Every structure is written in C-alpha cells, then in structure tokens.
Amino acid sequence: MIIRKLVIYGFGKHENVTIDLQDGINVLYGHNEAGKTTIQQFLLHILFGFPQKNHVLQRYEPKTGGKYGGQVHFDDPEWGSCIVERVRGKSAGTVTVLFEDGSTGGEEALQQLLRHYDRSSFESIFSFSLLQLQGFEKMDEEQLSRTLLASGTTGVVALLQLESKLEKEMGELFKRNGRVPEMNVRLAELRELEKALKEEREQADEYAPAINRMMAIDRNLVELKDDERDLEQQRKLIETQRQTLPLIEKERGLLARLEQLSVRKFPTDGIRRYEIINGKLLDILARRQVLQNELEKLNSAGEMRDQQFLPRLDRLVARETEWHQWRSDKRAASEEMRLLDTKRERYFASLGIRDDEKAALLLEADVSIQQEKTMLTLLDQLHQQTKQVDYVQRQLAQTASEERTIMQDKLRLDELAPTEEEQKKCADWPGVQRRLAEAKAFLQLKDTPAGNQRIVPFALLLMAVLLAGVGIVSQQWTLAICGVLIGAVATFLVVKTRSGNPSDAKRKEMEQFIAQHAEEEAQMDALIHRVDSYLRKKEALESSLLAVKRNRKSYEEELRMADNRTDLAADELFTFLQAYGFDELPSLQIIPEIFRMIRELQEVDRELFAAQQRDQNASRKLAECMDEAHSLLEKEVPEESLYDHLRNEWMLQKEQMEKKKTDAEKQLRLQEELELVNQTAAMLQSQKEELLSEADATTEEEFYRAFDVFQDAELVSRQLDDLQSQLRMHDRSNWPTDLSINELEEAARQVENRLTEVTKQQSDLLEEKVRLAHLTKRLADNETYERMLQQFENKRAEFASLARQWSSKKAVAAAIRQTMAELKEKKLPGVLRQASHYFSDLTGGRYVGLTVGEEGFFRAIRQEDNMLFPIMELSQATKEQAYISLRLALAESLHGTAPFPIIMDDPFVHFDGTRLSRMIKLLKRLQAEHQFIYFTCHETMTKHLHEANIITVSEIGSNQGAVLQ
C-alpha cells in the first residue's frame, strides 16, 4: 500500500491542505508546534476512525469550525487506486471508500482494505516514535524482553496486558510476604483463631477424655450386645445340630461311595463337542503353517538403512538452494576480499606503510571525529604559530633593513657634515647677529618719528615671542633662534628709546658695524640653515636608529618565544601522530588527507573482516554440508556434483522405501491374520482342554473312559441329592464336619457360661456411663469453643474461596505464558533471523544477531566472541536499534499480507553519526519494498535524507488547497 496524497478539509491547525507523498522515503520536517503530530494523527484518524470525545486521544476538531475530516489517497496491490474519506458523523465519523472502478463502500470495505487491522495492532507494528524508545532506559530485563517480544510477534500485546492484569489481581489476593492482600489477611485471622481454639481446648481437657470414655463405653456395649447375640445364635445352632446328626451320618456314607468313583462330572454333550473342536483345530493349525511360511519369505528380504537415514537425506536435499546460496556467497565474499585486499594494499602503499607492526598500529588507531577534531586543532595551532613566526621574521627582516638604511643615511649625512670652524662660526653668529640687529634698529629708530619709535620695539618683541614659541613647539630651532635675536633687538630698542636718542658717535659706530658684517649675513644665514638642517637630520636619524634597535630586540624576543611555541605545537602534533605509526612529522598540508586515508583504510579493513567472516561462515556451512553428505553417501564426491549424487541416492532410497512399505503392509496383513489364526487355535485348544479338564482327563482315551465312570456316579449323585434336600433346610455352612454328641453337649455348657459373663459386663458399663454423663453435661454448658470453632470454619471457607479465585487466575496466567511460548516458537524465529541481520548491519557487525533464551529474555550476540549480552546491559542507542530491527523485520515478514507504510516519529535522535548513517542506508535499502513516512524536527535529517521527498510542514497550506469531494 502506497499513500499518494493526504487531503485535509479541517483537522487541528490545518485547514484546506493537500500533501503529496511519493514512493520510498517521505520526510515531513518542521519545528515544534509546526503541526507534524497533527498530520500523523490525521492519517491514523482517517484510516481507523475518530476517537470518542471522552477518549484519551484528541479528536483534533478545527478550532474555527468548518468541515472536519479529509481524504487519504493510496495505491493498493490488491484493490488498486483507492480514496478513503472520513468526515464528521457518528462517533467514529462517516467513512466512504471510492474504488478505482467507480464503486464505493463503507466501514466494511475499509476493514478489508486494512486487512482487518485495528489501530492498536497497526501502531504496534507499522508506527513507532521517540516516546516508545525513551521508555527503554527505565525497563528491567523482563519488561524490556516483553517489549521486544511484542515488537517481534503480532497478537501478543493483548496477551501481555491480560497477563499483567491477572498478575495484579493475583497480587491483590495473595503475596508471599504481604499483609494487605485478602488471602494474607484471612490466613492471619485463621492463625489467630487456631491459636485461640488451642487455648480453649486446653481449658476443656476434662471434657474430652470423658466424651472419649463414653464413646468407648458405647462401643464396648455394642460389642457385648453383638457377643450376646452371637452366643444366642450358637446355642440355637447346637440344638439344631443335635437333631440333624443321624442324617449327616447317612450323607457321609453316600459321599464316601461317590468318592470311590474317579469321575464325578462330565461335560454336557461332551463327546460331540470334543469331536467338532478337534476337527476345527486341525484346519487352523494347517492355515497357521502356511502363513508362517509366507512371513519367513518376507522377513528374508534385504534390510534397509536405519530409519533416520531418509529423513536426514530429505533435509539435506531440501537445503540445495541454501547450498548454492552458500557457494554464491563464498564466491562473492572471495571476490570482495580480493578487491578489498587490493584496495587496502593500495592504501598502505599510498601511506608508505610496509611494516606489519605499523600496519597493525594504523588499523587499531582511533580515527573518530573527536580525534580528527583534536588533530585539526593541533594542526591549526601549528599553522597559527608558523604564521606568527613568519610574521615576526618578516618584521625582524624589515627592522634590519630599516636599520641598514638608517646607518647608510647616517654615513651619507656624516659625509656632508659642517666643519668644526663652521660650527664655531654658527655658534658665535647669534651674538654678532644680535648686535647687527641692534645697529639696524638703532639707525631705523633714528629715522623714525617718536610714535613709531615706540610702536616698532613692541611689535618686534611680539614677533620674537611668536617665532620662539612656534620654533620650540615645532622643533624648528632656526625660528626659535631668530625669535630670540629679534626679542633681544626689541628689548634693546625699548631700552634705547627710553634712554633718549644716541649720539652721533654711536650712530657712526653702528653704521661701521653694519657695513663690516653686511656681506656675511647672507652667508651666515645659509651656513646656519645648513648646520641646523644637519643637526636636525642627525638627531632624527639617531632617534630612529634607537627606535629600530628597540624594535629589533622586541622582535628577536618575540621570535624566540614564537619558535618555542612552534616547537611545542610541532612536538604535540608529532606526539599525536606517533600513535598512527609516523616516525617523523609529515607535511602539514597532507596530514588531513592522511587522516582521511587512515579512516578509509580502517573502513576497508572492517569490510575485509566482514567479508572474511562471510567467507568463513559460508565455508563452514559448505564443509558441514559436505561432511553430512559424505557421511550419508559413505563415499567422497566432488563438490560440483554433490547434489547430483544426493538426488540419485534420494530417489533410490525412495524406491526402496516404497517397496519396503508395500512389503510391510503385506507383512502386517499376514501378521494380523496369523495373530487371528493363533487366537483361534488357542481358543479351540483352550476349549478342548476345558472339556478334558471338566472330565478330569489328560488324554483322549481318559476322556472316553471318564464318560463311562460318569454314568455310575450319576446314580449315586441322585441318591445324595435326595438326602441333601432334607438337610438343606438347615444352614450348615459354619458347622464342623466331624461332630459327636459329647462334643455338642460340652459346647452347649460353654455357651451358657459365656452368656452369664456378658450380662454382668453390660451392667457395669451402664453404671459408668451414667456417672460420666453427669460430668459431660456440666462441661457442655460452656458454648465458647463451639462458637469459635464455627467462626474458624467460616474463615476457612472464605480462605478456600479466595484460594480458588487465585488458582483460576494463576491457571489463566500460565495459559497465557504457554501461548506466548508457542508464539515465540512459531512466529518469532523467522522474524528474529531477519531482525538479527538488520541489527548486525546497524551495529556495524559488532553484534551479529538477537536470540531468545529458554527463560524468555532477549540476548544480543557479540561478533568477536559470540558472547550473549542481556538487552538491558546495552547502551540506549543499541537497545533502540534492537527494537527498530524487530519492528522492521516484523513489517518485512507481514509485507505479503499487510503491505502498509511505516510511520516513524523521530526515533533516531540518540544515534551518533555512524549509526545514523547505517540506519539511513538500511531505510534506503528497504524503500524499494516499503514506503516510509518520517516526521522530524531536526534539520540535519533533511540533509541526510536529501534524496527523499522533503516536505516542510510550516510551508504547506500557503499555496495549496484541498479539493472537497
């Protein structure tokens, strides 16, 4: 059955929505509250009916009203394309089934489509979720085995529920050490009553012996009464014997005469009967001889092999398909081993591994994702440290280059350095320049009006301050020197202005000084500028050189530390890689590729090991089959023609078996006839012997002679009968045979004496009984004991009733366990074989199968040593793998009768990456036969199942609509 489309009219939060599904795997992805569970419940509600309003399941009726229900479109291998529509109606809704030919049906037609599965049976096989798997962690071994058993067999859930209910009810009735259960309460009450009864009996010790003695007296009186009656009868008998003694004497005479005759009886019509029987016996004996001859011929036929030979041969011939499959598996495993071995050697060659010890170390190395992360972290650390070393080395080289450049600039600057004389002139020039400025200012002031003479010095003074400040701030020492000189001139002018006009001699002196130094001013300005430039450059170069040297030392220290860190990172990485057999540190760029190749090498080695196991398994089975065949055929035959010889031997044994069967039937028929003949002969012989025995004869002659004597005895017998008819009036069965008159007289006297003694004993006992009666009447007035005894009997009856209830429930529980055992024997083995195959694939061959022990508990079989592990001892994810394997195996076994899709609600969240990958491979392998509808809130599942039909639940309904039918 393939579900093609879900059409939701109105269900929960979804309204007017259409969802298209495909063959294979369909993934419905969405975050929490997206409506995935609503879609899952919609599918189950439409197929199996809406729950009652007071039911534990939600009805998911639309919150905004509207039409409630929808359609499920699917293709069925038996019924073709069908549409199931269920809308609001009666309690479970009104259902309509539309078939491919246009016909319609109702609930009965839907039941046929669903193969009469109800919701509970469907969910127990074809639908499972994370909630069912999460409960495994809290289960004990018995609960876990029952859950796995319910997953591996159909119909057992209801039995398990009934058994649990009965166990609970039995626990309410009785527990071994309980106090609250009813039977335990009743048992405690019975013990208390029994104790009280014992105490009451001890108080009535006098009553019981008296009652016992009275009962003994009654018995003695009865015995004495019987003795008295017997004595009376003996007295009457003795009197009768006295009267019949003469007749007895005559009887003895006739008996003596009859004793003299040797034959007292003869069979009626004996002669004729004897002759008829003798003739028949001769005929029967002749027939018996014929039958015995035929049986001897049949028994002389050749003997067949032992009885187990043909069944063993049948079983071996029936395994021909398995034989060819084993041979095919062995060839396939051998070819796969060859390819994998070549591939592994190629990996070893690529990795440069030629030492077996290193190869073994490499195959056992840990290449987990965690180790890969550790490797990448170490590799990244080494890369970072290497980059840091390269950076520091570049900075150090750049610093060295800068230092060389500065030294070269300094050498070139030293070549252009001013002489000591020029430097001395520059040092003396500020004083000369100051005096020259004063002279010029003096002459200028002389030619300037008085107002201007006062303004100019102050302007020069302000200019001097500005130039000096700017020169000092900007470290332009020329401007600073000029500012100082101008300030000196301004100060001088101010002083001169205040002191009055100079004399003419002073004017002349100033003019001569200006004329003397006027030509040097321009030269000295150029020289001062050159010297000042030299000093600034020299100072700047020395400052730069000092800074570069400090940087070089810093970089050298940083390079040393970076080298140490790089060495530590390299050592740590090398230590990590030594575990993988590396004697030296390879190139950093190929380490991830080497790690990947090691992982692939280990995967190839595991596949090679699995192929070797399959090859060994197939070889073992082939060898076992060959050994059994050689044992049966009692000769060696080639493997290729084994089954030709087996079939020929089988046909030969079949022919011999048929012939033996025919002979056996004939032999059985002859034996039955012989047995009948023997019985007839024995009967005739017995009749013949009976006739001889009746005549007291052993031979035929004695038989005929006895007949003559019998005739004489008949006459005496008739006379004796007449006499005995007279004596028969008296019962002489207990009379002595040799009585005399004296003996009878003595016997009469003894009887009289005994009667007197019996009468006296009766009188004594009656007196004692009267005395004891008075005593017991007084003790009997106390009724406490009888009341307690009645109460004890009532409690015991209640306890017996509860015990019967407990026994009936125990019997039903035992029957359920027997039924479960039969289910395990009949249904579980096939499912278990397939589940073991799935479980082995999911665990990567770590566990090769599942089995159920005699105690009913599941065990996992470890591959490496075939050790059995209880399911509860496995990890949570491995338990879930066992549960899912059984579910999938059961669905696979029912595919022919119940080809339903499999619905899963995020059951793989506990799986790691490797197990999840195996699980997805298994689903992809099974999707050719089954449709899977997988609900998940994990986006990673959509990436793992990217080839599947991915449906984002949060996006449905935006531009899709349901078409109301």
Side-chain angles (χ1 to χ4, degrees), residues 779-842:
L779 295 175
D781 292 338
N782 187 3
E783 298 179 354
T784 304
Y785 179 77
E786 287 76 7
R787 185 170 61 254
M788 293 178 63
L789 184 61
Q790 181 64 34
Q791 187 178 2
F792 178 80
E793 293 297 332
N794 292 337
K795 293 292 183 181
R796 189 164 63 178
E798 293 176 3
F799 181 81
S801 177
L802 294 174
R804 285 192 295 273
Q805 296 180 26
W806 185 88
S807 300
S808 62
K809 296 180 186 299
K810 183 71 174 179
V812 175
I816 290 174
R817 285 192 290 271
Q818 180 65 27
T819 303
M820 289 176 59
E822 293 178 359
L823 285 174
K824 287 191 290 184
E825 293 176 359
K826 295 179 181 179
K827 181 65 179 176
L828 188 58
V831 175
L832 205 57
R833 283 193 298 272
Q834 188 64 34
S836 297
H837 179 68
Y838 293 158
F839 187 54
S840 176
D841 290 345
L842 292 180

Side-chain angles (χ1 to χ4, degrees), residues 657-763:
M657 179 60 74
E658 290 297 328
K659 184 178 182 302
K660 185 67 177 178
K661 183 178 179 182
T662 303
D663 292 344
E665 290 176 354
K666 183 177 179 181
Q667 185 178 12
L668 180 61
R669 189 171 61 254
L670 292 174
Q671 287 177 346
E672 290 176 353
E673 186 177 355
L674 179 60
E675 184 178 357
L676 181 60
V677 168
N678 288 332
Q679 292 176 356
T680 304
M683 181 186 66
L684 293 173
Q685 184 66 32
S686 176
Q687 292 176 357
K688 179 179 177 182
E689 291 176 355
E690 286 178 1
L691 287 175
L692 293 175
S693 177
E694 288 180 14
D696 291 332
T698 57
T699 62
E700 185 175 342
E701 291 77 8
E702 291 180 358
F703 181 77
Y704 284 105
R705 188 167 54 251
F707 177 72
D708 296 335
V709 176
F710 177 73
Q711 297 295 326
D712 298 335
E714 278 293 314
L715 178 61
V716 177
S717 295
R718 283 194 295 271
Q719 295 174 359
L720 184 60
D721 288 339
D722 293 338
L723 180 60
Q724 287 179 343
S725 63
Q726 298 178 26
L727 295 174
R728 203 172 289 122
M729 297 174 61
H730 308 285
D731 185 10
R732 296 185 302 157
S733 59
N734 296 325
W735 290 11
T737 56
D738 54 348
L739 293 176
S740 65
I741 190 63
N742 295 329
E743 291 174 346
L744 288 176
E745 292 293 340
E746 180 63 26
R749 251 188 334 268
Q750 291 178 357
V751 169
E752 288 296 335
N753 295 334
R754 179 61 182 156
L755 279 173
T756 303
E757 292 178 3
V758 167
T759 302
K760 185 178 182 304
Q761 290 177 1
Q762 286 179 346
S763 177

Side-chain angles (χ1 to χ4, degrees), residues 552-565:
R552 186 184 64 185
K553 290 183 179 179
S554 175
Y555 284 133
E556 287 175 351
E557 180 64 21
E558 186 176 355
L559 178 60
R560 184 182 63 78
M561 295 176 63
D563 286 336
N564 291 336
R565 290 193 298 269

Side-chain angles (χ1 to χ4, degrees), residues 919-935:
M919 188 70 243
I920 291 173
K921 287 182 181 179
L922 178 58
L923 294 182
K924 290 180 179 179
R925 191 166 75 242
L926 295 177
Q927 68 177 343
E929 298 293 334
H930 299 275
Q931 182 188 34
F932 293 93
I933 303 176
Y934 188 88
F935 296 87

Side-chain angles (χ1 to χ4, degrees), residues 886-924:
L886 283 166
R887 278 292 187 92
L888 294 178
L890 180 58
E892 180 72 19
S893 68
L894 297 174
H895 185 263
T897 58
F900 298 131
I902 299 176
I903 302 172
M904 297 180 288
D905 188 2
D906 252 347
F908 310 142
V909 295
H910 292 147
F911 291 4
D912 55 28
T914 303
R915 298 189 184 203
L916 181 60
S917 176
R918 296 179 187 138
M919 188 70 243
I920 291 173
K921 287 182 181 179
L922 178 58
L923 294 182
K924 290 180 179 179

Side-chain angles (χ1 to χ4, degrees), residues 98-116:
L98 180 62
F99 293 98
E100 190 174 14
D101 57 0
S103 60
T104 60
E107 192 70 43
E108 184 177 353
L110 179 59
Q111 289 298 317
Q112 293 180 356
L113 286 174
L114 297 176
R115 277 67 175 178
H116 298 283

